Amino acid sequence: MTPYDVPPPAPMPMTWQDSLRYSLGDYLPNLLGALAILLVGWLVALALAAAVRSGARWLEADVRRLGDDVLVVAHDAAYPDGTRLEDVAAAEADRWGTLRLSALLDALPPHVGLNLDLKSSMGDSLRPPERTTAGLLAPVVAAEVARRPLMVSSFDPSALCFLRAAVPRVPLGLLTWYRFPVEMAVAACVHMDVEVLALHVGSLRGSAADGEIDPDVLGSLLAVLHRCGRQLLVWCPQVASARFLVSAGTDAVVVDDLPEALVELATADAS
């Protein structure tokens, strides 16, 4: 028997708190659109119930693939012990308490919209396109778009290009990282034929030393995007900034503080 024949040790059970934190990652994306609550987690029934009670219109879920091609809801690429999701099969992921995407789709009421944040893996580079995370997700969203509001977002331009060709009916969103140049982001969004540009709030701060959103940058961005028939989503603003973004015409925001943001954005939406 070689070292490679030795079966790996069984994963240690996770507490429900750790499993929920793992599924969510270090961010808690809470809002898509002015009043839409974004919730995702291992305790899907509780999360959905809380979302519906709060008037949710959309839910956002990070999607990754396992080694045996099963899609799961997970923010992080690896478990707390360093085991990578793309290296395990569904049975082991189940023992970790990882939520399968199929379970989420079965539990989510069809009137609630779903934004799937596609997380490509490094291992996708060694696979043919149809077996990458995007390739595995394509038939899922092709079926799901017929029964609910749906969108797929990703930091991976190649994944979005694959989905545009495979399932042209599904709206797409291009995610960009902290302080990514606005000019390049807008051009990429339009010429990749992506409906939504999902900017980190840092891209809107311009040269302001105080870290506040530059209203001129935001105004110019919204004017160009809307003229091109695109929408703007901004992720990780503080609650006060989120209220400003919505009042200025931003189409969607993703924030961390759900209760406070819900109140603030409801006020902005009514004003």
Side-chain angles (χ1 to χ4, degrees):
M1 176 179 287
T2 69
Y4 302 102
D5 296 322
V6 177
M12 293 296 292
M14 300 175 74
T15 65
W16 71 265
Q17 294 96 332
D18 287 341
S19 185
L20 181 59
R21 186 216 61 79
Y22 168 72
S23 292
L24 290 167
D26 294 326
Y27 301 100
L28 300 178
N30 298 124
L31 294 174
L32 176 61
L35 293 175
I37 301 170
L38 305 183
L39 288 170
V40 59
W42 183 63
L43 301 177
V44 61
L46 293 179
L48 291 175
V52 171
R53 285 197 303 269
S54 300
R57 295 201 301 262
W58 282 81
L59 182 147
E60 188 265 0
D62 295 335
V63 177
R64 293 186 179 275
R65 69 163 178 84
L66 301 177
D68 57 359
D69 295 353
V70 173
L71 296 172
V72 295
V73 176
H75 178 274
D76 297 340
Y79 291 111
D81 71 346
T83 302
R84 299 185 65 81
L85 272 75
E86 63 178 331
D87 294 333
V88 304
E92 183 177 349
D94 290 342
R95 290 193 291 271
W96 278 102
T98 308
L99 176 66
R100 295 192 187 196
L101 178 60
S102 59
L104 174 64
L105 298 179
D106 289 343
L108 186 65
H111 69 273
V112 178
L114 186 59
N115 173 24
L116 296 174
D117 181 353
L118 188 161
K119 303 289 190 186
S120 297
S121 69
M122 190 175 295
D124 283 348
S125 64
L126 303 175
R127 290 178 161 220
E130 65 274 8
R131 291 197 61 225
T132 62
T133 309
L136 297 170
L137 185 61
V140 177
V141 296
E144 198 66 17
V145 73
R147 74 185 195 100
R148 76 169 70 253
L150 187 72
M151 165 183 163
V152 178
S153 57
S154 184
F155 290 100
D156 181 354
S158 70
L160 297 176
C161 289
F162 179 92
L163 290 171
R164 174 56 74 225
V167 280
R169 295 176 54 200
V170 176
L172 303 175
L174 174 64
L175 282 158
T176 63
W177 199 244
Y178 179 72
R179 287 196 175 275
F180 190 89
V182 170
E183 294 83 0
M184 283 188 260
V186 173
C189 174
V190 173
H191 291 293
M192 287 173 58
D193 192 22
V194 171
E195 288 84 355
V196 178
L197 175 59
L199 282 179
H200 187 279
V201 67
S203 293
L204 298 174
R205 288 177 178 149
S207 59
D210 58 4
E212 294 296 323
I213 293 171
D214 187 324
D216 294 331
V217 172
L218 176 61
S220 298
L221 172 61
L222 284 169
V224 172
L225 279 177
H226 289 166
R227 181 179 177 184
C228 294
R230 316 294 156 165
Q231 297 187 9
L232 176 65
L233 178 152
V234 178
W235 59 281
C236 282
Q238 297 297 316
V239 172
S241 296
R243 191 178 193 280
F244 170 74
L245 286 163
V246 171
S247 65
T250 302
D251 302 287
V253 291
V254 176
V255 302
D256 292 333
D257 191 336
L258 171 61
E260 184 180 355
L262 183 60
V263 173
E264 288 290 331
L265 293 179
T267 303
D269 192 62
S271 61

